[in-house]
Amino acid sequence: MDETFELIDRDIQAYCEAHTSEEAEVLYRLYRETNLKVMQPRMLSCKNQGTFLEMISRLIKPKRILELGTYTGYSAICLAQGLAEDGVLYTIEKKMELEFIIHKYIQEAHLTDKVKVLFGNALDIIPTLDQTWDLIFIDADKVNYLNYYKILIDKLSDNGIILADNVLWSKKVVDSTQDHDRDTIALRQFNDYVQQDKRVKNMILPFRDGIMMIEKEAQ
């Protein structure tokens, strides 16, 4: 069980995990290798979150998914499970040193034709992608969450979904001692902006480190 985030009592977390379907074997091996070989394994999606992402994707059946922040590919593999038959997931990762493990597990998951991995700065890459997105997962640098939202909201399909991870930031968003922390400030600004955006419906799920779910209403 991932014990990094403690928004929910640990016993409840353990109970929830025990009553969540088992992850695919390829995801289990990816989780293990990431924890053994990669710095900051806390950034990895856990079984519960991965299952949630997969189920949301299966419900939407998106043709185009955009992920910001691949890390080692766990969440990309989960999201790709719900793609439409002709669907594609584009995922952007800043750290080239993760390329080997990302491609290794995407290949082992038999998703090479479904998942396109792009390396570089997401703010530079996004404008080059002439796509309309049905599902967007934001899990990249927190200081740019609002920037990502502003440039992507017009590229989101009607009734499309944005999922933004870490929006509770280990409870720091409600901790006044964190008023000078740039990541905390950025996440508060993002949460407040979305809350006031009349184009969308939104809610924060107090799950793991907090996920903001945003639905763009039909215009």
Side-chain angles (χ1 to χ4, degrees):
M1 182 182 68
D2 187 334
E3 298 181 347
T4 302
F5 308 111
E6 299 180 14
L7 296 175
I8 302 174
D9 177 86
R10 289 190 182 189
D11 290 338
I12 293 296
Q13 289 187 57
Y15 186 86
C16 290
E17 181 156 330
H19 291 80
T20 297
S21 297
E22 289 303 317
E23 63 198 335
E25 193 267 340
V26 66
L27 290 172
Y28 174 77
R29 288 190 284 105
L30 171 54
Y31 188 91
R32 289 283 298 161
E33 184 166 347
T34 300
N35 276 273
L36 288 169
K37 298 180 180 179
V38 182
M39 293 181 64
Q40 297 181 304
R42 60 172 295 189
M43 294 171 62
L44 189 69
S45 291
C46 65
K47 181 183 80 169
N48 286 8
Q49 183 173 346
T51 303
F52 169 77
L53 294 175
E54 178 179 341
M55 292 179 75
I56 290 293
S57 184
R58 288 187 185 277
L59 287 168
I60 297 171
K61 296 181 174 60
K63 287 191 174 183
R64 293 291 181 271
I65 300 175
L66 177 64
E67 178 184 47
L68 307 182
T70 316
Y71 192 47
T72 56
Y74 191 106
S75 53
I77 292 171
C78 293
L79 289 164
Q81 302 304 316
L83 280 167
E85 186 175 347
D86 58 345
V88 179
L89 181 151
Y90 291 79
T91 181
I92 302 173
E93 173 55 46
K94 191 172 183 179
K95 298 179 180 178
M96 277 291 300
E97 60 267 27
L98 297 175
E99 181 177 16
F100 173 76
I101 191 170
I102 293 169
H103 285 300
K104 173 184 175 181
Y105 282 97
I106 287 174
Q107 182 176 9
E108 291 188 17
H110 307 291
L111 291 169
T112 303
D113 294 335
K114 291 280 190 180
V115 178
K116 309 300 181 186
V117 186
L118 307 172
F119 290 95
N121 187 311
L123 290 175
D124 294 332
I125 294 173
I126 292 169
T128 71
L129 301 175
D130 186 18
Q131 303 283 350
T132 297
W133 308 105
D134 302 310
L135 177 59
I136 298 170
F137 182 46
I138 303 175
D139 189 17
D141 55 314
K142 310 313 166 190
V143 295
N144 277 311
Y145 265 39
L146 186 52
N147 291 327
Y148 296 139
Y149 181 82
K150 287 179 176 179
I151 65 175
L152 285 169
I153 189 65
D154 289 333
K155 296 185 175 184
L156 186 66
S157 61
D158 287 346
N159 302 118
I161 297 291
I162 295 176
L163 300 171
D165 200 11
N166 306 115
V167 295
L168 296 180
W169 206 225
S170 298
K171 303 180 184 178
K172 292 178 184 178
V173 291
V174 294
D175 184 351
S176 61
T177 67
Q178 301 296 319
D179 288 351
H180 300 291
D181 177 71
R182 65 197 298 261
D183 288 331
T184 302
I185 293 168
L187 287 168
R188 288 173 180 167
Q189 290 173 342
F190 169 77
N191 292 338
D192 290 344
Y193 185 93
V194 173
Q195 178 65 23
Q196 300 301 320
D197 191 344
K198 301 303 182 184
R199 297 169 293 180
V200 304
K201 286 187 177 181
N202 61 286
M203 68 176 297
I204 292 178
L205 303 171
F207 165 63
R208 202 171 181 239
D209 199 26
I211 296 178
M212 175 76 87
M213 179 180 286
I214 304 159
E215 179 186 14
K216 183 179 179 181
E217 298 197 282
Q219 301 300 307

